[in-house]
């Protein structure tokens, strides 16, 4: 099944862009995924093809008009109705690997790229649009965010990544950061590789990796660590409840 991405944008020439090369590019050629970059301006109703207007209440910048956005979304939905519709916005829910996995296992996605000050708020409820952020940063447009979301989905599509296991050991897949990697040369500018990795003892290596993954998550990403611990406690007490219920 082909994963179909429709991107509604004022800059369709930005797509597939970097997704046309390497892993994603080969998968695009192979038909594992497809992309339709749609010019939002084509859905403007006036002869000047206006897509934006001044913000209600005043202030700087321009806002994407809800009627134009709705017409573009309705057009995108015609082809394939059951795809989630996602607007890229810093006000959205932070994108997670779990959500990426869900999206990658579905038929595809419709992405709305903002520009200027962003979207007229009414589009989100009016067309059941999910708001997603790619980080606590402000981009000049939704396009790089869309590329990022698509890249994360595409690498998970069947057959795109080489080794089947490399997708599941990655950072965030188990709620932790991945352990660090090393390769040859064994000594570089006086710096060595952790001895255990050269021991050939697979059980010990696995133990070391688990430990580093936990330690690094705790020190670098206390937010992830808290959640990980919380989930562990919850699943342990959940298991207890099940035993008690029987
Ligand atoms: N005025 C807005 C920012 C607009 S930036 C605010 O302060 O919330 C212009 C467009 O870039 C947005 O509409 C959105 O589509 C995109 N964008 C910027 N930062 C983003 C982020 N962190 N995640 C996803 N999209 C982003």
């Amino acid at each position: 099944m082909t994963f179909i991405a429709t991107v509604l944008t004022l800059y369709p020439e930005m797509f597939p862009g970097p997704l046309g090369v390497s892993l994603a590019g080969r998968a695009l050629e192979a038909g594992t995924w497809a992309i339709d970059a749609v010019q939002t301006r084509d859905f403007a109703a006036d002869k000047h093809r206006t897509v934006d207007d001044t913000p209600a209440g005043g202030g700087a910048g321009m806002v994407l008009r809800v009627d134009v956005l709705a017409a573009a979304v309705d057009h995108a939905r015609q082809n394939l109705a059951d795809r989630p519709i996602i607007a890229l916005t810093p006000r959205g829910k932070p994108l997670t690997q779990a959500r990426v996995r869900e999206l990658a296992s579905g038929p595809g996605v419709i992405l709305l790229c903002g520009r200027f000050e962003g979207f007229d708020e009414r589009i989100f409820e009016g067309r059941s649009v999910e708001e997603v952020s790619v980080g606590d940063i402000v981009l000049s447009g939704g396009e790089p965010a869309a590329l990022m979301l698509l890249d994360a989905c595409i690498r998970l599509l069947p057959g795109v990544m080489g080794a089947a296991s490399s997708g599941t050991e990655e950072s965030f897949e188990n709620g932790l950061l991945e352990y660090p990697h090393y390769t040859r040369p064994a000594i570089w500018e006086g710096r060595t590789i952790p001895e255990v990795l050269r021991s050939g003892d697979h059980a010990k290596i696995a133990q070391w990796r688990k430990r580093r993954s936990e330690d690094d998550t705790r020190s670098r990403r206390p937010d992830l660590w808290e959640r990980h611990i919380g989930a562990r406690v919850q699943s342990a007490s959940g298991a207890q409840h099940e035993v008690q219920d029987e």
Side-chain angles (χ1 to χ4, degrees):
M1 195 180 69
T2 302
F3 178 92
I4 300 175
T6 301
V7 184
L8 308 177
T9 169
L10 292 173
Y11 301 97
E13 64 273 25
M14 286 192 185
F15 298 89
L19 300 179
V21 295
S22 186
L23 221 67
R26 281 197 295 275
L28 183 60
E29 258 170 49
T32 311
W33 71 287
I35 185 159
D36 187 17
V38 176
Q39 173 56 266
T40 310
R41 204 173 285 285
D42 291 347
F43 299 89
D46 63 332
K47 70 171 194 286
H48 300 295
R49 309 218 305 155
T50 311
V51 294
D52 57 337
D53 212 328
T54 54
M62 299 294 272
V63 177
L64 287 167
R65 288 176 59 115
V66 68
D67 51 352
V68 178
L69 291 167
V73 167
D74 292 344
H75 165 83
R77 277 203 304 202
Q78 268 172 17
N79 307 328
L80 238 175
D82 58 346
R83 288 177 297 166
I85 310 168
I86 293 179
L88 286 317
T89 161
R91 282 170 43 86
K93 195 170 166 186
L95 185 62
T96 61
Q97 188 62 16
R99 184 68 185 121
V100 165
R101 244 181 212 289
E102 277 172 15
L103 292 172
S105 69
V109 68
I110 298 172
L111 298 176
L112 261 78
C113 299
R115 279 274 154 181
F116 323 118
E117 289 308 317
F119 308 94
D120 183 312
E121 185 70 14
R122 293 170 291 181
I123 191 64
F124 305 125
E125 250 189 56
R127 287 296 181 273
S128 305
V129 177
E130 182 183 334
E131 295 171 74
V132 167
S133 165
V134 296
D136 293 342
I137 53 168
V138 181
L139 302 165
S140 55
E143 290 79 7
L147 289 168
M148 197 168 133
L149 181 149
L150 289 175
D151 180 278
C153 290
I154 292 160
R155 61 189 286 284
L156 296 179
L157 298 176
V160 174
M161 262 187 312
S165 71
S166 62
T168 52
E169 279 217 356
E170 226 91 48
S171 288
F172 312 118
E173 288 293 354
N174 57 2
L176 298 173
L177 301 179
E178 200 188 39
Y179 49 82
H181 299 283
Y182 299 86
T183 184
R184 279 181 280 271
I187 302 177
W188 172 76
E189 295 189 354
R191 292 161 201 273
T192 55
I193 288 174
E195 199 51 49
V196 57
L197 297 181
R198 306 203 292 144
S199 68
D201 184 335
H202 294 293
K204 263 204 181 131
I205 292 171
Q207 206 177 23
W208 180 88
R209 285 179 167 166
K210 181 166 184 283
R211 181 77 195 275
R212 275 302 298 265
S213 170
E214 291 175 349
D215 289 352
D216 291 352
T217 305
R218 199 184 302 113
S219 62
R220 293 173 181 213
R221 292 292 303 274
D223 57 321
L224 284 184
W225 182 248
E226 287 300 313
R227 218 177 307 152
H228 178 71
I229 293 299
R232 264 204 328 215
V233 169
Q234 213 172 35
S235 74
S237 70
Q240 251 170 20
H241 280 301
E242 268 168 41
V243 173
Q244 281 167 357
D245 288 348
E246 273 173 8

